[in-house]
């Protein structure tokens, strides 16, 4: 049901400001949304996360390129 979005309905998930991190399904790293690797992840394969802790809880490691972190 996620992929079935009505045109002009709402902004696509890709622009969700509340989820600054993402990972590829089945991969081991997660990234900041601005990371150079993110455009290489197909939209259908992306998993979005609100926090670094959420990424770690899902078993992902931080990307060595963008080094996701959160201000304390």
């Amino acid at each position: 049901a996620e992929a079935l979005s009505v045109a002009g309905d709402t902004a696509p998930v890709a622009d969700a400001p509340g989820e600054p991190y993402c990972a590829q399904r089945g991969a081991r790293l997660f990234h900041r949304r601005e990371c150079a690797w993110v455009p290489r992840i197909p939209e259908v394969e992306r998993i979005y996360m609100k926090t670094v802790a959420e990424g770690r809880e899902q078993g992902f490691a931080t990307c060595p390129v963008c080094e996701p972190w959160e201000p304390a």
Side-chain angles (χ1 to χ4, degrees), residues 2 5-6 8-17 19 33 43 48:
E2 288 176 357
S5 176
V6 178
D9 172 19
T10 56
V13 177
D15 295 331
E19 297 181 317
R33 294 279 288 274
E43 184 64 45
Y48 293 99

Side-chain angles (χ1 to χ4, degrees), residues 4-30:
L4 300 176
S5 176
V6 178
D9 172 19
T10 56
V13 177
D15 295 331
E19 297 181 317
Y21 310 102
C22 87
Q24 182 167 2
R25 208 175 298 281
R28 59 181 196 86
L29 298 178
F30 74 98

Side-chain angles (χ1 to χ4, degrees), residues 35-67:
C35 183
W37 284 101
V38 172
R40 303 179 195 199
I41 304 172
E43 184 64 45
V44 295
E45 292 286 313
R46 292 183 192 180
I47 301 167
Y48 293 99
M49 292 153 281
K50 292 180 178 3
T51 64
V52 168
E54 188 180 339
R56 292 204 173 109
E57 284 165 15
Q58 292 185 34
F60 295 109
T62 54
C63 169
V65 176
C66 65
E67 298 183 328

